[in-house]
Amino acid sequence: MRRIYKNSNVGVIKFIDYLGDIILFYKKKKKFNKENIKKILVVRLDHIGDMVLLSSFLRNLKNNFPNSEITVLCRRMTKDVLECIPYVDNIQVLNVPWLSRNDGENWKNILRYLIKHYKKYDLAIDLRGKPIHNIIVSLVGKYSTGYGYYGLGFLLNKEVIWENKPKHIVGRNLDILKALDLSVDNGKLGLKVDKEYYESLKSKLDFIEFDRDFVIVCHPISGNKCKNWLFNYWNKLNNLILNEYNNNENLKILYGGSKNNYNDIGKNINIDNKNIFNIAGKLSLKEYFALVDLCDLLISVDTFAVHVRAAFDKPLIGIYSGTNYLYEWGPYTEKKTIFQDKSCHFYPCESFECLADKHICMENIKPETIFKAFKKLRDTYDTKSI
């Protein structure tokens, strides 16, 4: 077995893996028996968008194990997402310090979790490939599987080899099931939001008539500031759209995000009380999902909103920085128009701080370009006219 590593500094990791393969050679000899799988744990300890993209994996997992109990270990911030995925039987929350957005817990809680759930699951799956995740699934699972491209893959009973070729993260997730000789479908995403959240959404946003108004949701801020489009570009785009509709009062442009985004949006977006509204932090996550479903068009930077919209298979415009490969993290739907500038020599930087003198990748995507795409997408999918 020849591993392909994603990290750039792999000398020490390769040496550890070499020793681990020799010492724990017997781990790979254990055979996978589908009939013995009654309790399954899936580890997904990252963020909202990652969890939305997991929906196809969980559907395929449930299709292969319809009578098994599926538990997902997640962060607190993604628990509401899992409640919108109908293939999950149990949800466990563990806010680990890595991949944290100021929500990490101490290591004692992790140790307690490992002791409590030691070898509790017939099958434990990790999709991130981090060494610490491989440790977790190897301890809680009688049979463990996942990627070893960051190291410690020797701990897994079935190590899936990362393919060094363009592939969406949805496909990479499904490759884990394929490695176990399980059947998979086309990977289409899927969320199901309870009716009550649509009703509470309409109650909170009572200034909108969804059947009559043309509703555009703009999501301008990501958890990674390198992915944010310029605020003055958003303002120029607003003006272009307002002029297109002659400031018609039935046009509603909503700026969404978390409550932490409210002040930034308020300071930087020219709010027109008749047409443009700052709703960041005003809705629960599930209500926001309902809004992303009901709106006529989503315009968003690279963040969870594009994946939620894709899960509802509705038209969207994505404004992507040069942080990641589009083929890997783009919206998983055909109803999309995505812009990404690759001219920066740091592309893909995979950074939380811009490495260039100017934010080239986002400055090169002009408001006029997005507006042109907006008109085309609006006409293509026959959205309502006002």
Side-chain angles (χ1 to χ4, degrees):
M1 177 183 66
R2 181 177 179 273
R3 292 186 180 94
I4 297 177
Y5 291 89
K6 289 187 71 176
N7 10 5
S8 56
N9 300 314
V10 297
V12 174
I13 291 295
K14 280 186 175 181
F15 180 70
I16 293 172
D17 282 353
Y18 173 75
L19 292 180
D21 286 333
I22 295 174
I23 298 170
L24 298 180
F25 68 93
Y26 60 90
K27 299 276 286 188
K28 299 295 189 289
K29 293 183 177 295
K30 185 172 183 178
K31 292 185 177 181
F32 177 73
N33 188 339
K34 183 178 179 181
E35 304 305 318
N36 293 339
I37 306 302
K38 304 301 179 185
K39 295 172 71 68
I40 303 172
L41 178 73
V42 178
V43 176
R44 187 90 254 194
L45 292 169
D46 26 29
H47 307 117
I48 295 173
D50 304 283
M51 195 61 73
V52 175
L53 291 171
L54 188 65
S55 61
S56 65
F57 176 88
L58 292 172
R59 180 184 64 254
N60 279 277
L61 184 64
K62 194 65 173 178
N63 288 343
N64 280 279
F65 299 97
N67 300 316
S68 297
E69 181 181 88
I70 297 176
T71 300
V72 178
L73 179 65
C74 69
R75 307 188 81 85
R76 186 171 292 108
M77 70 165 65
T78 61
K79 183 174 182 290
D80 281 355
V81 185
L82 280 172
E83 291 175 353
C84 296
I85 300 176
Y87 317 106
V88 180
D89 298 298
N90 302 302
I91 300 172
Q92 295 174 355
V93 173
L94 188 64
N95 277 7
V96 295
W98 60 92
L99 300 173
S100 173
R101 289 183 178 170
N102 299 316
D103 62 351
E105 298 175 359
N106 61 48
W107 286 88
K108 289 183 180 179
N109 290 337
I110 300 167
L111 182 59
R112 290 191 194 102
Y113 178 86
L114 294 175
I115 293 172
K116 180 179 179 180
H117 297 277
Y118 180 74
K119 299 301 180 184
K120 180 178 179 180
Y121 297 95
D122 302 308
L123 173 62
I125 306 170
D126 173 63
L127 300 104
R128 184 78 183 190
K130 290 183 73 68
I132 187 64
H133 290 199
N134 290 338
I135 293 173
I136 291 173
V137 294
S138 68
L139 290 174
V140 302
K142 298 172 186 174
Y143 191 97
S144 57
T145 185
Y147 284 105
Y149 48 55
Y150 287 119
L152 304 196
F154 62 85
L155 294 173
L156 305 170
N157 297 112
K158 182 67 176 182
E159 180 181 352
V160 183
I161 301 302
W162 179 70
E163 294 181 291
N164 191 17
K165 64 181 183 179
K167 181 176 286 192
H168 198 280
I169 192 66
V170 168
R172 295 202 186 280
N173 289 344
L174 295 178
D175 282 347
I176 291 178
L177 299 182
K178 290 179 182 178
L180 296 175
D181 293 324
L182 301 174
S183 60
V184 300
D185 59 24
N186 60 10
K188 182 179 178 181
L189 306 181
L191 295 175
K192 185 177 181 180
V193 181
D194 290 343
K195 183 179 178 181
E196 66 180 280
Y197 297 102
Y198 287 89
E199 294 172 349
S200 59
L201 163 71
K202 292 177 181 179
S203 177
K204 287 183 178 181
L205 303 185
D206 58 0
F207 56 89
I208 296 179
E209 295 183 40
F210 283 96
D211 293 334
R212 188 178 69 176
D213 293 341
F214 189 90
V215 181
I216 302 170
V217 171
C218 296
H219 196 111
I221 299 176
S222 166
N224 179 350
K225 65 181 181 180
C226 283
K227 298 181 179 182
N228 295 343
W229 202 38
L230 286 69
F231 277 119
N232 64 309
Y233 281 13
W234 284 107
N235 284 321
K236 290 178 182 178
L237 178 62
N238 289 340
N239 291 334
L240 290 168
I241 295 173
L242 290 171
N243 290 335
E244 172 77 6
Y245 287 93
N246 297 316
N247 294 310
N248 190 312
E249 65 180 9
N250 294 121
L251 171 68
K252 302 293 193 303
I253 303 176
L254 310 180
Y255 275 79
S258 71
K259 62 182 180 181
N260 295 329
N261 304 147
Y262 182 84
N263 288 337
D264 284 338
I265 292 172
K267 290 177 182 177
N268 295 286
I269 298 297
N270 299 327
I271 301 297
D272 178 338
N273 289 331
K274 188 179 75 169
N275 294 105
I276 305 177
F277 304 85
N278 182 1
I279 62 164
K282 303 297 183 182
L283 304 174
S284 70
L285 187 62
K286 291 179 183 177
E287 289 168 342
Y288 194 64
F289 282 12
L291 174 62
V292 170
D293 180 22
L294 288 182
C295 70
D296 294 282
L297 184 65
L298 173 77
I299 306 175
S300 175
V301 296
D302 176 13
T303 188
F304 74 87
V306 296
H307 302 305
V308 173
R309 184 72 169 175
F312 291 119
D313 200 26
K314 301 287 182 68
L316 68 94
I317 294 174
I319 306 171
Y320 272 58
S321 71
T323 308
N324 300 313
Y325 289 116
L326 185 60
Y327 64 73
E328 192 168 27
W329 292 102
Y332 203 72
T333 177
E334 296 297 322
K335 297 179 181 179
K336 64 179 183 290
T337 301
I338 307 298
F339 295 92
Q340 184 184 52
D341 182 84
K342 304 176 184 177
S343 62
C344 179
H345 66 277
F346 290 109
Y347 168 83
C349 65
E350 297 184 340
S351 176
F352 281 80
E353 296 287 341
C354 186
L355 303 177
D357 294 334
K358 297 192 302 180
H359 203 180
I360 300 170
C361 61
M362 293 310 249
E363 288 185 11
N364 285 350
I365 303 174
K366 304 299 184 182
E368 293 78 9
T369 303
I370 303 301
F371 177 64
K372 184 178 179 180
F374 157 74
K375 291 199 295 182
K376 183 177 180 179
L377 207 59
R378 174 198 63 188
D379 297 339
T380 300
Y381 291 101
D382 194 27
T383 53
K384 68 174 77 76
S385 58
I386 57 175

